[in-house]
Amino acid sequence: MAYINYYKVLGVDKSASDKEIKKAYRKLARKYHPDVNPGNKEAEVKFKELNEANEVLSNADMRKKYDKYGDKFGENWKQGEEYEAARSAQGFGGGRQTRGGGSTFSGGFDNSGYSDFFEDLFGGGFRGASGSSRQQVRFKGQDIQAELQKTLLEVSTTHKQSFSVNGREVRITVPAGVRDGQKIKLKGYGGEGMNGAPKGDLFITFRISNNTEFKREADNLYKDVNLDLYTAVLGGEITVNTFDSKVKLKVKPGTQNGTKVKLGGKGFPKYKKRDKFGDLFLTYQIELPKNLSEEERTLFEQLKALQS
């Protein structure tokens, strides 16, 4: 995987604040989202780069490491600490130091030594003063962070999802009930390892949007239901939409505004628990009649008089 300048991807300065980074990401993510650019491969690549840049720069620890090692080690910035440790162990940095089998050498560190070090580190065995070959340094491939945009309706059922990562076609099963911000790991779908080391992993974070009338909290759903005054006072029967069906409810006479009703098992699917659901909580919002006729107003005045 080639080195990516995340600041350039988001179009911000290196000194940008967390707020500026978040704002830039949201603006560009909307522009290059696959739903807005169906079939546009360039937009797809750009969208993936934006997600990767946001994943790193919005995380304080990862951003610090990226800023420190990005210019030094390029695409391998995540292994920067290990590389510096390996360089130190090989004896770079000046002075007389001991290596591997106990042999010693002296000498300062210069640009040519730095280049030799990385030539050895990335592709050949290190050779000491005697010419003997040292064991190659092995590092696991870089992990990849990605986001998968879904809607609440989409994650209410188990379904297949295909996408491309590093030129590889990946097909996963998205279980019903997955939550916003939830992360899954796909082992071995990251960057290539060095010198025979295993590949990195792919971490997918789900970003779930909700454009329904329901509010979700864990496996439970919440919804306000409008109730006319007459049904609230006299009682009756109403039909209510649940997330995937309709139900008939009996309303008790004298129902008060803000009354809550629980429908067990009518909530959201529970993650990786087949045929298990949370609950649906309804809150009645009583609607007062408007634009009363003279006859209706007279009747309400009579009712008021009776209450007095």
Side-chain angles (χ1 to χ4, degrees), residues 87-88 91-95 97 107-109:
R87 184 184 67 186
S88 177
F92 293 99
Q97 301 187 22
F109 173 70

Side-chain angles (χ1 to χ4, degrees), residues 50 95 110 117 156 165 178 211 224 226-227 246 254 280 300 305:
L50 288 170
D110 58 20
F117 167 72
S156 66
V165 177
V178 67
N211 58 356
D224 288 341
N226 294 329
L227 189 66
K246 296 178 181 289
L280 171 60
F300 272 107

Side-chain angles (χ1 to χ4, degrees), residues 227-245:
L227 189 66
D228 66 86
L229 177 64
Y230 310 106
T231 304
V233 172
L234 301 175
E237 189 175 81
I238 61 173
T239 300
V240 176
N241 290 326
T242 65
F243 197 81
D244 58 359
S245 62

Side-chain angles (χ1 to χ4, degrees), residues 96-229:
R96 188 173 179 85
Q97 301 187 22
T98 302
R99 301 181 298 167
S103 60
T104 63
F105 75 100
S106 61
F109 173 70
D110 58 20
N111 289 335
S112 60
Y114 188 81
S115 301
D116 291 341
F117 167 72
F118 278 103
E119 182 180 349
D120 293 333
L121 187 62
F122 288 102
F126 179 83
R127 293 187 177 274
S130 63
S132 60
S133 178
R134 298 289 182 183
Q135 184 179 5
Q136 293 180 330
V137 181
R138 302 173 71 249
F139 288 109
K140 178 184 175 183
Q142 183 179 9
D143 292 337
I144 297 177
Q145 305 286 338
E147 288 188 351
L148 187 57
Q149 307 283 340
K150 308 295 291 183
T151 66
L152 190 64
L153 184 60
E154 286 176 321
V155 297
S156 66
T157 58
T158 298
H159 61 282
K160 302 290 185 180
Q161 176 75 46
S162 298
F163 50 90
S164 179
V165 177
N166 274 359
R168 298 175 62 184
E169 191 68 20
V170 181
R171 184 174 175 84
I172 65 172
T173 298
V174 180
V178 67
R179 299 181 185 180
D180 183 52
Q182 187 170 339
K183 183 175 290 189
I184 63 172
K185 171 184 174 182
L186 298 181
K187 186 176 178 63
Y189 280 87
E192 295 289 339
M194 291 172 36
N195 296 327
K199 293 181 178 179
D201 303 318
L202 170 63
F203 292 87
I204 301 176
T205 301
F206 287 92
R207 297 300 179 197
I208 301 172
S209 59
N210 181 9
N211 58 356
T212 73
E213 58 185 329
F214 299 88
K215 177 183 177 182
R216 180 189 181 189
E217 291 184 5
D219 303 319
N220 296 325
L221 295 175
Y222 298 81
K223 175 185 175 181
D224 288 341
V225 175
N226 294 329
L227 189 66
D228 66 86
L229 177 64

